[in-house]
Amino acid sequence: MRKILVICSNITVALQIRNHFLTKKNSFRYIILIQDNFYTNDIIRIFNIIKNKKIIKSNFKKRPIYFNLIKFYDFFKIKNFNKKLYQKFKESNLFKKIENEDYEEIWFSNDNLSKIFLYKNKTKKIYFSHGANDFLIDKKYLDKLTFVKRTIDDFINNYFLYVFKISNNNSEIISIFSHFLIKNKFKNNVKKFREDFIKNFNFKKKKYFQKKKINLINISIPYAFYQQKYKKKLLYDYVDFFMHEILNKIIKQKKMLYVLKFKENIPTNLQKKIIKKFNNYFRDYNLVLFSSNKTGTNSLEKFVTFYNIEKYYSNFSSSLFLIKIFRPNVKLYNFSKIIMNYWKNKQNLLFENHRQNQSNYRKVIKYYNKIWINL
């Protein structure tokens, strides 16, 4: 029987893969490799629709490094690091489980495992976008200088540095977010995506939330990047800024329920500590910390889709687009500009990846239709 390998560690990606699966003839056996994390059980539930499958969980969380010309002096350092990682993976039981299969296609996203496993792999590849920035993979969106640099970077990574670098030359790209691009060049089917989600992902709702008008706030704080953690002073300074410069603009109605959602990588005790600070400041308002025990789900998208959400506040993220797909009537507010201004003269305090995220924001924002109101 023909086989398809699926590598997935992200709910948004899993939903897109599920949607793509529904368009295929079900004559394949699916080997589904899940990088174990906060979302593993949800991802497994999303893939319940696939009957002929084998699910393999992995704890392989080491992150390979990409080379770029700006850091040419790190070439050998990166090569040695990635080579050791590649060799370790090839010697693992996980590699033995998946390597000997003859795959018709490989479906994947921005997973650490895919970057290792797909190195010099000739199988047809389909990449599913995990975020709103991913359309930049298509070099048609790049200026000439960036195009040349990216082409050289990709070539060096893919042929010499033991890491697979996605491009539109080596993979087909599917992105649900492309629906909102001013010039859409990718495959997507928003209508089926929404219908499948609403039909199959309802949950037992909590009575406390059912009859309330809710404003949902997505809180992003500079906590960590992989094993690197920010200093406490930087974190608490940012929390003060967020409270005074962003929440002060949002929390104004005493009859409204304000639900505050943190990313899953923020420790629960830290979330509670920050919410306590917010509650002390906004004493006359109703603030609730988002948690599965209280809401009935740990999914932001489910919460917005099946409760009475009036407004959603966030920095620039994929959640803005997903909510627009699932609940088009929810008013969206983007506070990225306020955050960007805060970090403008503090770039040296940020980890490199987070500086890159801010740089990417300035690049990508001009390509999207504006579906939000700037706070």
Side-chain angles (χ1 to χ4, degrees), residues 49 109 126 227 374:
I49 193 172
S109 188
I126 302 180
Q227 301 303 316
N374 288 326

Side-chain angles (χ1 to χ4, degrees), residues 74-283:
D74 280 337
F75 177 88
F76 289 105
K77 179 182 176 182
I78 292 172
K79 181 177 181 179
N80 290 334
F81 179 85
N82 288 346
K83 184 177 181 180
K84 289 179 182 178
L85 203 59
Y86 180 75
Q87 289 174 337
K88 183 179 179 181
F89 176 63
K90 288 195 72 174
E91 293 168 0
S92 69
N93 290 329
L94 175 63
F95 181 78
K96 294 172 185 176
K97 288 179 182 178
I98 62 177
E99 187 267 340
N100 292 324
E101 303 286 355
D102 185 19
Y103 299 112
E104 189 90 2
E105 296 176 352
I106 298 176
W107 300 354
F108 71 105
S109 188
N110 191 38
D111 312 273
N112 293 334
L113 267 172
S114 64
K115 295 170 187 174
I116 296 292
F117 180 72
L118 296 181
Y119 179 64
K120 292 190 176 181
N121 189 301
K122 302 300 182 184
T123 308
K124 179 183 176 182
K125 305 172 189 68
I126 302 180
Y127 178 89
F128 293 84
S129 176
H130 79 291
N133 294 346
D134 278 357
F135 74 93
L136 289 176
I137 292 169
D138 191 328
K139 295 175 184 176
K140 294 177 182 178
Y141 288 98
L142 306 177
D143 59 70
K144 290 182 180 179
L145 182 61
T146 307
F147 176 89
V148 172
K149 179 186 174 301
R150 178 79 65 78
T151 301
I152 297 171
D153 287 347
D154 289 354
F155 178 80
I156 292 172
N157 280 293
N158 282 317
Y159 287 92
F160 301 105
L161 295 183
Y162 297 89
V163 60
F164 175 77
K165 185 84 180 321
I166 173 72
S167 79
N168 56 309
N169 295 325
N170 58 29
S171 303
E172 180 183 346
I173 301 168
I174 295 178
S175 172
I176 200 69
F177 308 108
S178 64
H179 177 74
F180 301 99
L181 288 171
I182 295 170
K183 294 181 180 179
N184 184 354
K185 297 182 180 181
F186 300 104
K187 291 183 180 180
N188 62 78
N189 191 327
V190 168
K191 185 179 179 182
K192 286 186 178 180
F193 188 71
R194 177 172 56 242
E195 289 175 350
D196 180 56
F197 184 85
I198 292 173
K199 180 181 178 181
N200 294 291
F201 295 101
N202 207 333
F203 60 97
K204 187 176 181 180
K205 291 176 279 293
K206 300 287 187 176
K207 290 182 179 179
Y208 177 75
F209 292 97
Q210 283 186 324
K211 295 183 179 180
K212 287 184 168 58
K213 294 181 180 180
I214 302 168
N215 282 352
L216 178 62
I217 305 170
N218 187 22
I219 299 179
S220 59
I221 62 173
Y223 176 68
F225 178 70
Y226 284 85
Q227 301 303 316
Q228 293 177 293
K229 290 186 179 180
Y230 285 105
K231 294 180 179 179
K232 287 184 179 180
K233 185 179 186 310
L234 182 142
L235 172 61
Y236 292 132
D237 285 349
Y238 180 86
V239 169
D240 283 339
F241 148 76
F242 195 91
M243 183 172 69
H244 290 101
E245 301 300 326
I246 294 179
L247 293 186
N248 257 338
K249 299 177 187 294
I250 298 171
I251 301 173
K252 294 182 177 181
Q253 296 175 268
K254 292 183 178 180
K255 293 183 179 180
M256 182 67 67
L257 175 62
Y258 295 93
V259 178
L260 286 75
K261 171 80 164 65
F262 289 84
K263 285 190 173 182
E264 285 78 3
N265 69 325
I266 308 300
T268 303
N269 62 335
L270 179 58
Q271 294 184 35
K272 290 179 179 179
K273 190 173 182 179
I274 294 173
I275 290 296
K276 184 178 179 180
K277 180 182 179 71
F278 291 163
N279 273 316
N280 287 336
Y281 185 81
F282 297 100
R283 291 179 183 275

Side-chain angles (χ1 to χ4, degrees), residues 250-342:
I250 298 171
I251 301 173
K252 294 182 177 181
Q253 296 175 268
K254 292 183 178 180
K255 293 183 179 180
M256 182 67 67
L257 175 62
Y258 295 93
V259 178
L260 286 75
K261 171 80 164 65
F262 289 84
K263 285 190 173 182
E264 285 78 3
N265 69 325
I266 308 300
T268 303
N269 62 335
L270 179 58
Q271 294 184 35
K272 290 179 179 179
K273 190 173 182 179
I274 294 173
I275 290 296
K276 184 178 179 180
K277 180 182 179 71
F278 291 163
N279 273 316
N280 287 336
Y281 185 81
F282 297 100
R283 291 179 183 275
D284 297 329
Y285 300 88
N286 192 3
L287 275 60
V288 175
L289 175 63
F290 185 108
S291 70
S292 58
N293 290 335
K294 292 179 180 178
T295 63
T297 177
N298 60 4
S299 165
L300 182 149
E301 290 77 22
K302 286 184 183 180
F303 184 77
V304 172
T305 303
F306 298 108
Y307 284 118
N308 183 27
I309 312 300
E310 292 195 352
K311 297 176 183 179
Y312 175 63
Y313 298 86
S314 177
N315 61 327
F316 181 77
S317 78
S318 59
S319 62
L320 289 164
F321 302 100
L322 292 171
I323 288 169
K324 190 66 176 178
I325 292 172
F326 298 138
R327 283 286 303 277
N329 60 322
V330 173
K331 291 183 179 179
L332 305 175
Y333 292 83
N334 183 351
F335 48 70
S336 291
K337 285 187 176 181
I338 302 174
I339 292 177
M340 295 283 284
N341 285 334
Y342 175 79

